[in-house]
Structures are given as structure tokens and as C-alpha cells.
Amino acid sequence: MKITSIDVKTVPISSPIRNAYIDFSKMTTSALAITTDVIRDGKPVVGYGFNSNGRYAPTCLLNERFIPRLLEADSKKIVTDDGTNLDPHKIHKVLMANEKPGGHGERAVAVGVIDMAVWDAVAKIEEKPLYQLLADRYGTGRTDEKVYIYAAGGYYFPDKGLEELQDEMKGYLDLGYKDVKMKVGGASLNEDLQRIEAVLDVLPPGSGLMVDANGRFDLDYAIEFGEKIKDYELIWYEEAGDPLDYHLQAELSKHYPHAIATGENIFSLQDATNLIRYAGMNPEKDFLQFDCALSYGLVEYLRILDMLKEHRWSSRRCIPHGGHQLSLNIAAGLALHGNESYPGVFEPFGGFADHYAVEDGYVKLPDVPGIGFEAKSNLYELLLNVGK
């Protein structure tokens, strides 16, 4: 078998919302299609991929470096030994040939886009949902029938007051979500505390709140903020400081008594290993949010899971960033804690399959080959037009 073409397009996912660090007014993503010569249901198998929100489209890197590198590779270097399917691990090696270690940045995002499309194609060729393929290859063969998800929102928005924030969170509860997350760090300390209390006031018993600073705080402010919120008993306090400031994370862990979450901006196995070694993270209560679509793809994520196991971390402490179907498949197939969700934001790339409602904070996955993009009509329509 072989790859016959690779097409990529830059797509806007702009929005007037902002977090503590960036606004999304010019946000883009790269949408990619890998077409193979394998025929299923009378059509060539096509694998689709894109990068998660929060990082701009790496289309130039894809066009100038990684797509040519993959297309120029000898077919034996990108397919399984029996020649019947693409081999994601071999392809990862091809993509990273002649690349120096370190300095991950947007390169990790570009490789992640291709990796997503490769896994989509691999599962379609095997005629399995990706979550089942992952469970068969790397797990017990059993999948989670439903996956825990939480609603990530609470962004800063022009003229958005406390009442509007409360209405937003009540809307998530009405959609079937149990737990919600909101942004902090983009206003004064007192304003953020008022915003947190306003959300807590509308959450029913059994629902919980996370807060996310998006790396905005220095050490002193991170500790001060943690001191102010500790009595709220939040589900977690997320990414207080720079994601690579392991000293800040370790010091914060000494002061803040409840769960901390981080990892969405950790883009490699080595950086993830350093986080576990030096950041004071607690495998009994903290959460890891590595997003494989931003960090060299699922091949690298599998390596990170192996590393975590060696350090006695359960996969159930992992809950990926991104709010997309790839992370949902990984959560169901590899026994993760759950997945993020962005209701109504970053569409059509965010969100899950049509006609699968959120029920009590959980969602089920469709029984369709691949990642399941074909079961999300607005996204599939866009992906079909990549390269046209």
C-alpha cells in the first residue's frame, strides 16, 4: 500500500474570547487529509487530522518540511512489515529524521497533525473505531463504554459580567455536564474571586469547579492565589505558572493542599519526564493534561504513558486538553480519566459525534471506523473540502 496524496489547509477558528494570556481573535488550525490507495466501501481510505486550539496553524512547517519528507520516504519505511497498513511508529521516525532534539514548539504541533491523520487512516483500514484498535494493541482489549468529560468555558468576553458567567455555567449543566471549568488570571484577584464565587453559587450538589490560569502567574502570585481559593475545595487549580517552570510548580505544591493540573503545553516525552521528576506533582491527586495533537502525536503520547507507568502514575490521572475526538478515543481506549470539552467553542473542530448527548458528565462514542469524524457532520463537511 502507499500514500497517494497529502493535502493541507489553514482554517480560522477565531473568536472574541480570551484567557489570562491570549485572545482568540486570529486563531487558526491546520486541517490535513492523507489519501491512501486502500479501498474501503468502494472509496480510497482518507485519514484526517488537525491541531488543537491554542496553537496557530503550522501549515508552513507542514508544506515545507514534513509533508515532503513523508511523501519522499520509501514505502517500506512507512508501512507495516506485511505491507497491509500504515505504521504510525515508522512514520514518526521518518518525520523526525534530521531533526535536532529539543526546541519543540510548533514542530511538535505539525507532526501531531500528521500523526492524527495517520491513526485515523490506520483504524479505517482495519475497519475498527480507533478506541477499539488502541485497546487491542496497547491495552486490555476492553474499552470504556462512556468517557467522563467536563465543560471548559468561563472565558473573558467583552461586557461579560457575573450574571452572564452564571448563565453560561447553568447552560453547561443543562447540556448534561456535571463539572465545569473557568478562566482566571485575566482580572484582578478580587474580581476573579468574585467570579469563582458566582459560579459556585449556581453549581448544584455533586457538581464541581476547576480554575485555569493559563500559565499567567509568577511564584508569589500563584501561591497567594492558591491561598485565597483553597477553602473552595475546587476539583483542580490549573497551570498557575509557565508550563516549564518546574520549580514554581514544586513550590506551589508545597502550599496548595488540593489537586493541581498541568501539561497541556508540555510537548515531548522529555519535558513530560522532567515534569514528573522535578515539579512536585502528586500521582495520588494531581492531573496531567498532555494533548497528543499538540505534542508529536499519539506515538509520543504512548511513550509518555509508558514513562508515567514507570513512575507509578496511573493512566487514570491523565485527562487531555483539546476537547476533540482524538483525545476522546484515547481516553476510551487507553483507560484515561476523561477528556476536556468546549461546548459551542472552536467549532467545528471541538465537540464530539452528532446525536451523542452528554449524560451526567459522560459521553459515548460512535461505533464507526477511525476517529469518528464522519459521525460529526459539520466537521466532516469541512474535512472533505481539504485540498479542493
Side-chain angles (χ1 to χ4, degrees), residues 114-309:
I114 294 176
D115 178 273
M116 184 189 293
V118 168
W119 283 101
D120 188 36
V122 166
K124 287 173 178 173
I125 290 169
E126 291 203 13
E127 300 183 280
K128 292 181 179 180
L130 179 61
Y131 58 85
Q132 187 62 61
L133 182 143
L134 294 176
D136 291 342
R137 289 191 181 185
Y138 306 105
T140 63
R142 299 183 62 181
T143 66
D144 290 343
E145 293 185 2
K146 58 183 181 178
V147 175
Y148 165 76
I149 54 174
Y150 66 91
Y155 287 88
Y156 299 97
F157 189 87
D159 302 319
K160 181 179 181 179
L162 297 181
E163 185 176 346
E164 290 79 10
L165 177 62
Q166 289 178 320
D167 288 343
E168 176 190 354
M169 296 302 172
K170 287 187 285 187
Y172 298 149
L173 299 175
D174 291 341
L175 288 173
Y177 292 90
K178 179 181 176 183
D179 301 324
V180 297
K181 187 170 79 175
M182 62 179 288
K183 300 300 182 179
V184 296
S188 70
L189 177 56
N190 286 336
E191 287 178 289
D192 271 339
L193 293 178
Q194 290 175 2
R195 294 173 66 250
I196 292 171
E197 290 172 359
V199 173
L200 290 172
D201 283 343
V202 299
L203 293 184
S207 289
L209 175 65
M210 306 90 156
V211 298
D212 181 4
N214 288 106
R216 185 69 183 183
F217 302 155
D218 62 20
L219 176 58
D220 290 341
Y221 196 89
I223 292 173
E224 180 183 5
F225 196 92
E227 179 66 26
K228 295 292 185 180
I229 66 172
K230 68 179 183 181
D231 292 336
Y232 296 140
E233 297 188 0
L234 304 173
I235 295 176
W236 68 58
Y237 175 15
E238 180 176 334
E239 206 170 47
D242 187 289
L244 295 179
D245 191 343
Y246 304 131
H247 172 72
L248 181 151
Q249 196 69 55
E251 290 300 309
L252 177 61
S253 295
K254 296 175 183 177
H255 293 82
Y256 185 71
H258 306 300
I260 287 172
T262 192
E264 71 178 69
N265 292 300
I266 300 292
F267 287 170
S268 72
L269 170 61
Q270 186 59 63
D271 286 341
T273 303
N274 287 340
L275 179 75
I276 299 305
R277 285 173 174 167
Y278 305 122
M281 302 292 287
N282 187 331
E284 299 301 319
K285 66 182 179 74
D286 292 337
F287 293 92
L288 303 171
Q289 300 169 300
F290 312 119
D291 181 345
C292 73
L294 298 178
S295 51
Y296 293 112
L298 179 51
V299 170
E300 189 86 345
Y301 196 88
L302 289 166
R303 295 170 181 170
I304 290 173
L305 288 178
D306 287 342
M307 176 275 295
L308 292 176
K309 187 175 182 180

Side-chain angles (χ1 to χ4, degrees), residues 347-383:
E347 286 286 357
F349 297 95
F352 312 120
D354 298 340
H355 313 303
Y356 283 75
V358 180
E359 297 181 4
D360 196 29
Y362 286 82
V363 70
K364 294 182 178 179
L365 287 77
D367 184 18
V368 298
I371 293 173
F373 299 134
E374 289 77 4
K376 190 176 190 302
S377 56
N378 59 349
L379 176 57
Y380 186 49
E381 182 179 354
L382 183 151
L383 293 173

